[in-house]
Structures are given as structure tokens and as C-alpha cells.
Amino acid sequence: MTRHFLSIACGLLAAGCATSPQPDLAGGTGGRELRPARAGINVGSLYFAREKATEDRSRPVNLERLCEVSLERYAVLPVDARQSDVDLSYKLEASGAVSGIKNIFVNLGLSGNFSDHFEYKLTNVVDRSISYQEAQTLFDDRAFKRDCSHWRKNISRENWARYQILSIKTGDIVLRQKTETGVSADIKAKIAVAEPQLKVALSRSYNLAVSGQGMVIAVNPIIRE
């Protein structure tokens, strides 16, 4: 998915590009974390973010729709690559959710860490990408049509970032109890009570998706002007 991202960005951006590789998203998902993770983010299409344009892939981004592009119309066929499941437990630490989880456990009389009782992972993982040449073709033809250029002007007034998506990582987000042997009925009951509390806390307080199929968790964006 990132086979030529840095060379592309360096050649594209008039503002310049760092020569050192940008760090991958923690936990091995690659790209820049999409927060909140959600379905409906498509390669080739244009989005904006309420931030200054940046190449820093270590920061999460919240993309908003700017201009959709139909790959089929341009006979662009994205490349899909299956990958291994991704453990998302690291996101709990990064978001600050660990302390909230501990409070839930303590209140229920549970001991141990989150990973002792639950798994939080991305399954059925697919990298979907198009080439830079394909992205450029889409951008040149689509971005300056009236419906797209109208919105681009509105975004420019706010000095918000505009991105075209070169690749995405999708999968099914799952939060579920681990199968534990030798655990008492009392502990199992407490874990069952903790699960819905965890889901509410993670989605409301920490803006983390706890379930969903075909969710986009990471993107590789190209800055567009």
C-alpha cells in the first residue's frame, strides 16, 4: 500500500517533503489513522479535514466528504491485498482509555488488564490501493468540475486540508470476550457485565469504534491544492 507513497508526495508537494520515512501508524496498521473509523471512505475520492495540510502520518485524521470519484467510470481497478488480523489494543493506551477500563474493572471487582479478558482487533483486513498515476488522472478530470470546485473554494476560505486518498485499510472491528478456562462463574458474570460498559465508554468517551464491518481504519492521503 505504501510502495511508492513517499516518492509520490515529494514530487507532488511544492512545499517540500522530508527525506526520512514517515512513521507507520502504531500497531502496524500502516498509513494514517482514521478517527473515528468508519465505512464509506473510498480510494481516489477527495476529502477535507479541519486542520492544516500535513504529511505527519502519526496523527489521527477525521475526514469529511468533499468530492466523490467513481473508479468504474474511469476504468480504474483498485488492487486489494489481504493481510493478517491487527491487534487494536494499543489504541486503548494511545487514547487514554486504559484508566477508564481499570475503573470499570475495579467497580465490578475484576482484576487484571483489559487483554486478560477481552480482545479488540481488526479482522478480514484488506489493503485497497490505486497507483499515483491513476489518482492523478482522477484528480485532473474530476477535481475541477463545477460540483467539486465549488466545494473546494469553500474549504479554501477556511484554510482546511484537502486530501485525495491513495489507499485505505479496511476490516471488521471486533471487541469480544476471550474464551478463558478455569474461570469461576462469578468472574464470568462480571466480565459479561463489563462488556457493554466497555463498549459505551470506548465509543462515547474515546471516539473508538468497537464494532462494524468494512470499517476504514487507516488511509494514505495525498495533499491536494
Side-chain angles (χ1 to χ4, degrees):
M1 182 173 72
T2 58
R3 58 189 180 274
H4 50 276
F5 176 75
L6 289 175
S7 61
I8 291 165
C10 289
L12 177 69
L13 302 178
C17 177
T19 56
S20 59
Q22 296 295 313
D24 275 351
L25 178 63
T29 60
R32 189 173 177 190
E33 179 188 356
L34 181 65
R35 188 181 294 178
R38 58 192 180 276
I41 302 296
N42 300 308
V43 294
S45 292
L46 296 166
Y47 299 86
F48 73 93
R50 297 169 192 265
E51 64 179 25
K52 290 185 178 180
T54 179
E55 296 176 68
D56 182 3
R57 294 196 294 152
S58 66
R59 293 168 45 192
V61 63
N62 183 9
L63 296 177
E64 300 183 52
R65 192 179 309 276
L66 180 57
C67 185
E68 285 294 318
V69 176
S70 172
L71 299 185
E72 292 81 5
R73 178 180 175 184
Y74 296 90
V76 172
L77 184 63
V79 176
D80 287 353
R82 288 278 179 181
Q83 296 205 333
S84 302
D85 291 354
V86 177
D87 184 359
L88 298 179
S89 298
Y90 74 93
K91 289 168 64 67
L92 306 179
E93 185 74 43
S95 65
V98 171
S99 59
I101 291 171
K102 288 180 179 178
N103 290 335
I104 292 173
F105 282 9
V106 169
N107 292 338
L108 291 173
L110 283 170
S111 60
N113 299 317
F114 170 86
S115 57
D116 293 332
H117 306 296
F118 294 91
E119 61 179 359
Y120 181 39
K121 63 194 299 186
L122 189 72
T123 65
N124 301 318
V125 183
V126 175
D127 278 335
R128 167 165 285 200
S129 64
I130 59 175
S131 70
Y132 169 67
Q133 290 76 17
E134 290 169 329
Q136 190 66 48
T137 297
L138 298 173
F139 181 78
D140 289 343
D141 188 73
R142 187 76 182 94
F144 301 99
K145 295 291 174 58
R146 175 173 291 184
D147 60 335
C148 289
S149 60
H150 170 71
W151 287 106
R152 283 159 50 84
K153 290 178 182 178
N154 291 341
I155 301 305
S156 295
R157 285 199 294 266
E158 301 294 338
N159 198 29
W160 287 333
R162 285 155 292 180
Y163 298 117
Q164 184 182 23
I165 305 305
L166 189 66
S167 56
I168 60 176
K169 186 181 290 289
T170 66
D172 304 335
I173 296 179
V174 177
L175 171 65
R176 60 191 173 200
Q177 300 176 37
K178 285 185 175 180
T179 301
E180 300 180 79
T181 58
V183 177
S184 69
D186 178 60
I187 295 298
K188 288 182 179 179
K190 291 178 178 178
I191 293 172
V193 172
E195 183 173 359
Q197 294 184 27
L198 285 172
K199 290 182 176 180
V200 170
L202 293 177
S203 60
R204 287 185 179 176
S205 302
Y206 305 102
N207 205 21
L208 296 176
V210 294
S211 64
Q213 294 184 333
M215 306 288 275
V216 180
I217 192 174
V219 300
N220 270 334
I222 302 172
I223 298 175
R224 292 300 196 184
E225 299 296 338

